[in-house]
């Protein structure tokens, strides 16, 4: 995916958050000049931006202590911004008033600030699939689905998305809304489900991991893939005025992911599912899978991080030593066997295709006269095919996780 962001001035609201840091890193890697704006920036925002030693300039802006529209307009004008990515906001168990202030009224102020400038900015709003609300099991979520959020978080984020789309239709900004699935990977929010698991495995092992029911199937996307989508949306002309889903495109079993994190950690931590357990995150959907066709079409984007790598990197970032010891090698959980059974037909088909190719190659070589001057006969393919390497990699087997239900 080719980026055209080199040389652009990019302002990232919430640049010190879990998503914002990755967005800053992506734009910086693409050659853009990046300014991170957050409550946690340097104390003196009146002077020149502080690069923080990492090449990304930073300023602090606390909407609770300033007139948001005027303060944001000053920051955007000072940075000569071409692009603004709004990665700021509040999730978790905040009150409806707090969520509305952080996820809706801040967007109102941002649009007001952008509209006051002489030139039109590109605005990328990082939204959430919670804006859609629940769907029937097996139904993929497309951008044409009328939003019907049921959580205060989803409602507040929908208000912000609607503000961006209205301002785009009015010609005040060139806006795009990215509706993002559950995020995981290095630096993903600690208050999320998998963030809670990673923190427990880093700090509270070997105590039992107590969570609510894990029966759902959710769509997950790596934070680095989200940052790549924001980078693509900043310069994709056909994305203006559009809502674009960003996800993995799969409904992954939540319990299986939690078990897999325990296995990857190398610690035999008991997993206890208790529907009465109080956690910092709300209950998730029973089923969720987003359709990412529009992201491929408009942004040239697709998820690139593999699930196992995302989980492993999230554990490492949380402080879990990168070790899969004897526990992870000795026994295999039941779900791993199920995965192997489901993958068997694909392996057989791959073997048949490989055999067909080799037979065709042998036939072609037999038809090719060896006496052709100056032309060496083609060599047969060698080496281990990828599917076989994957199978061998799984053959060691992750460890069994004991799941208790009170």
């Amino acid at each position: 995916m080719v980026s055209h962001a080199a040389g652009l001035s990019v302002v990232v609201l919430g640049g010190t958050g879990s998503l914002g840091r990755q967005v800053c890193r992506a734009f910086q890697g693409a050659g853009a000049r990046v300014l991170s704006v957050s409550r946690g920036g340097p104390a003196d925002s009146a002077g020149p931006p502080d690069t923080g030693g990492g090449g990304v300039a930073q300023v602090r802006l606390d909407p609770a202590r300033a007139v948001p529209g005027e303060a944001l307009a000053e920051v955007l004008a000072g940075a000569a911004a071409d692009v603004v990515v709004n990665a700021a906001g509040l999730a978790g168990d905040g009150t409806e008033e707090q969520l509305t202030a952080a996820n809706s009224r801040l967007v109102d102020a941002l649009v007001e600030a952008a509209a006051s400038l002489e030139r039109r900015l590109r605005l990328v709003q990082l939204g959430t699939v919670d804006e859609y609300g629940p769907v029937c099991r097996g139904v993929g979520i497309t951008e044409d689905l009328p939003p019907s959020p049921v959580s205060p978080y989803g409602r507040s984020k929908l208000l912000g998305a609607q503000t961006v789309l209205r301002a785009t239709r009015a010609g005040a900004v060139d806006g795009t809304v990215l509706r993002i699935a559950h995020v995981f990977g290095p630096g993903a929010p600690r208050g999320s489900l998998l963030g809670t698991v990673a923190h427990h495995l880093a700090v509270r092992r070997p105590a039992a991991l107590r969570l609510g029911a894990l029966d759902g199937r959710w769509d997950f996307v790596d934070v680095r893939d989200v940052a790549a989508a924001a980078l693509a949306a900043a310069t994709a002309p056909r994305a203006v005025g559009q809502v674009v889903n960003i996800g993995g495109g799969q409904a992954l079993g939540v319990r299986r992911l939690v078990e897999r994190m325990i296995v990857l950690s190398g610690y035999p931590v008991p997993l206890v599912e208790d529907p009465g357990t109080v956690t910092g995150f709300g209950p998730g959907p029973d089923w969720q899978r987003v359709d990412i066709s529009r992201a491929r079409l408009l942004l040239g984007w697709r998820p690139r991080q593999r699930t196992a790598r995302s989980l492993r990197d999230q554990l490492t970032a949380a402080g879990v030593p990168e070790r899969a010891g004897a526990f992870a090698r000795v026994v295999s959980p039941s779900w791993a066997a199920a995965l192997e059974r489901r993958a068997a037909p694909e392996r057989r088909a791959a073997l048949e295709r490989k055999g067909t190719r080799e037979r065709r190659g042998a036939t072609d070589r037999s038809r090719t006269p060896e006496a052709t001057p100056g032309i060496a006969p083609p060599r047969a393919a060698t080496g281990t095919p990828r599917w076989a390497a994957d199978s061998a990699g799984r053959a060691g087997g992750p460890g069994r996780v004991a799941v208790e239900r009170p």
Side-chain angles (χ1 to χ4, degrees):
M1 186 168 58
V2 179
S3 172
H4 302 285
L8 295 180
S9 175
V10 180
V11 174
V12 180
L13 299 189
T16 58
S18 57
L19 285 179
R21 286 194 300 271
Q22 295 290 345
V23 170
C24 288
R25 193 170 295 137
F27 276 98
Q28 186 186 14
R33 293 178 288 113
V34 183
L35 174 64
S36 167
V37 180
S38 66
R39 290 189 177 96
D44 181 15
S45 60
D50 177 23
T51 62
V56 175
Q58 300 181 24
V59 297
R60 182 173 69 186
L61 177 63
D62 188 350
R65 296 187 177 183
V67 179
E70 295 178 3
L72 285 170
E74 183 178 345
V75 169
L76 298 179
D82 301 299
V83 177
V84 181
V85 180
N86 182 25
L90 179 65
D93 56 355
T95 66
E96 186 136 11
E97 172 61 26
Q98 291 170 332
L99 291 166
T100 301
N103 300 330
S104 175
R105 288 202 289 272
L106 180 61
V107 180
D108 295 339
L110 174 59
V111 168
E112 175 188 340
S116 69
L117 302 178
E118 294 182 358
R119 57 178 176 169
R120 190 183 304 176
L121 299 185
R122 176 64 68 91
L123 172 57
V124 179
Q125 165 77 3
L126 301 190
T128 171
V129 292
D130 286 359
E131 296 169 34
Y132 290 113
V135 298
C136 296
R137 181 173 288 270
V139 175
I141 301 174
T142 68
E143 292 86 352
D144 297 326
L145 180 70
S148 184
V150 295
S151 67
Y153 173 64
R155 289 193 293 269
S156 64
K157 292 293 286 186
L158 177 60
L159 291 173
Q162 290 170 337
T163 296
V164 172
L165 296 174
R166 282 196 304 268
T168 302
R169 288 193 295 268
V173 297
D174 288 339
T176 302
V177 175
L178 303 183
R179 286 191 175 143
I180 301 165
H182 292 265
V183 295
F184 65 162
R190 176 176 157 183
S192 64
L193 170 62
L194 298 186
T196 298
V197 175
H199 177 72
H200 183 99
L201 294 171
V203 176
R204 301 187 60 191
R205 61 179 189 270
L209 174 61
R210 303 187 69 90
L211 298 170
L214 302 174
D215 298 326
R217 299 185 69 87
W218 304 351
D219 199 315
F220 285 86
V221 61
D222 191 285
V223 291
R224 294 163 291 193
D225 284 327
V226 174
L231 175 63
T235 56
R238 292 195 295 167
V240 173
Q242 298 291 324
V243 174
V244 183
N245 289 338
I246 302 298
Q250 302 179 74
L252 301 178
V254 175
R255 181 184 296 110
R256 186 172 297 170
L257 289 179
V258 173
E259 290 175 342
R260 200 169 183 183
M261 290 189 83
I262 296 174
V263 167
L264 289 170
S265 75
Y267 297 102
V269 173
L271 171 61
V272 179
E273 291 185 48
D274 182 0
T277 300
V278 177
T279 58
F281 50 88
D286 293 333
W287 167 274
Q288 182 190 82
R289 176 176 59 80
V290 298
D291 187 310
I292 54 176
S293 303
R294 185 177 292 184
R296 292 193 181 100
L297 178 65
L298 300 185
L299 307 182
W301 175 93
R302 63 179 177 86
R304 297 182 181 275
Q305 302 296 330
R306 293 181 178 273
T307 300
R309 172 54 62 187
S310 297
L311 295 174
R312 189 176 295 113
D313 290 348
Q314 183 165 359
L315 288 168
T316 302
V320 178
E322 195 167 347
R323 44 154 285 198
F327 166 70
R329 293 193 299 268
V330 170
V331 290
S332 177
S334 57
W335 53 261
L339 283 177
E340 294 295 329
R341 286 195 298 271
R342 286 200 293 269
E346 297 179 4
R347 291 201 198 94
R348 285 196 296 269
L351 280 169
E352 292 174 0
R353 289 194 297 270
K354 180 174 181 289
T356 301
R357 287 196 299 269
E358 290 178 346
R359 287 193 297 272
R360 287 175 180 170
T363 301
D364 292 342
R365 287 193 299 274
S366 67
R367 292 174 179 171
T368 302
E370 295 184 359
T372 303
I375 300 180
R379 293 182 297 175
T382 60
T384 304
R386 182 176 298 175
W387 58 264
D390 290 345
S391 176
R394 288 195 295 268
R400 181 177 301 278
V401 178
V403 180
E404 304 174 8
R405 294 182 179 84

